[in-house]
Amino acid sequence: MRSNYEERVGVSITTHGVQFEYEPWLCAYYSSVRGSTCADCGGNQILKLRWYTPDFVLPNGLIIEAKGKLTGANRTKILDILDTSEYITRDNFRLLFMEDNKYGSAGRRYSDWAEQYGIVYHVSRIGEVPESWLT
């Protein structure tokens, strides 16, 4: 696993007797290319194909993304994935935050952001996954 936090999440899932796949596949999604213009039509709505690797995929189809830090780039990427991926949606995607930190100058928290965009989340420093996600 790539981080200590991801390792703790994996232990939590396994402790509940649930098998999981770690970073099992790539999923295509699209993101906007800012400041670009199409050479053929002159349009400025340019999309770039990108690839996302989910952290944990559970047998029930849920995808868990474990985040210690939720940067602006992470927030943009997650929204792009949820808005353009054929396989990952708000119905099967979950965010597990290590902390409910503040971000930006307005003092908003990670949970505020997730709620604003209809993303199911949980906060657990020790990486405990809610049982409701595992069944």
Side-chain angles (χ1 to χ4, degrees):
M1 310 226 172
R2 295 180 190 258
S3 72
N4 289 334
Y5 188 59
E6 286 181 355
E7 186 150 333
R8 293 194 305 261
V9 172
V11 168
S12 169
I13 297 169
T14 303
T15 298
H16 286 90
V18 175
Q19 297 290 320
F20 65 87
E21 293 181 273
Y22 177 74
E23 295 189 347
W25 35 263
L26 293 172
C27 181
Y29 73 98
Y30 293 91
S31 66
S32 294
V33 179
R34 292 174 181 85
S36 295
T37 305
C38 176
D40 293 331
C41 70
N44 60 2
Q45 192 68 19
I46 308 297
L47 299 177
K48 180 175 182 175
L49 176 65
R50 297 188 186 268
W51 299 95
Y52 164 67
T53 304
D55 287 341
F56 299 92
V57 178
L58 303 180
N60 62 10
L62 288 185
I63 294 163
I64 299 174
E65 181 68 24
K67 285 290 176 206
K69 185 174 184 180
L70 187 66
T71 64
N74 292 148
R75 293 190 302 271
T76 299
K77 178 179 178 178
I78 289 168
L79 292 177
D80 286 344
I81 291 164
L82 294 176
D83 290 342
T84 67
S85 170
E86 184 177 345
Y87 302 104
I88 300 175
T89 68
R90 284 169 177 76
D91 291 332
N92 68 357
F93 184 81
R94 304 289 184 267
L95 276 172
L96 187 61
F97 298 126
M98 187 165 67
E99 300 282 347
D100 193 13
N101 292 328
K102 291 181 180 180
Y103 70 94
S105 59
R108 295 184 42 172
R109 296 194 171 275
Y110 295 171
S111 58
D112 297 327
W113 178 83
E115 288 173 7
Q116 177 183 353
Y117 291 100
I119 301 169
V120 177
Y121 71 92
H122 181 72
V123 180
S124 174
R125 179 179 262 297
I126 61 171
E128 184 66 27
V129 176
E131 284 190 44
S132 64
W133 294 6
L134 301 172
T135 56

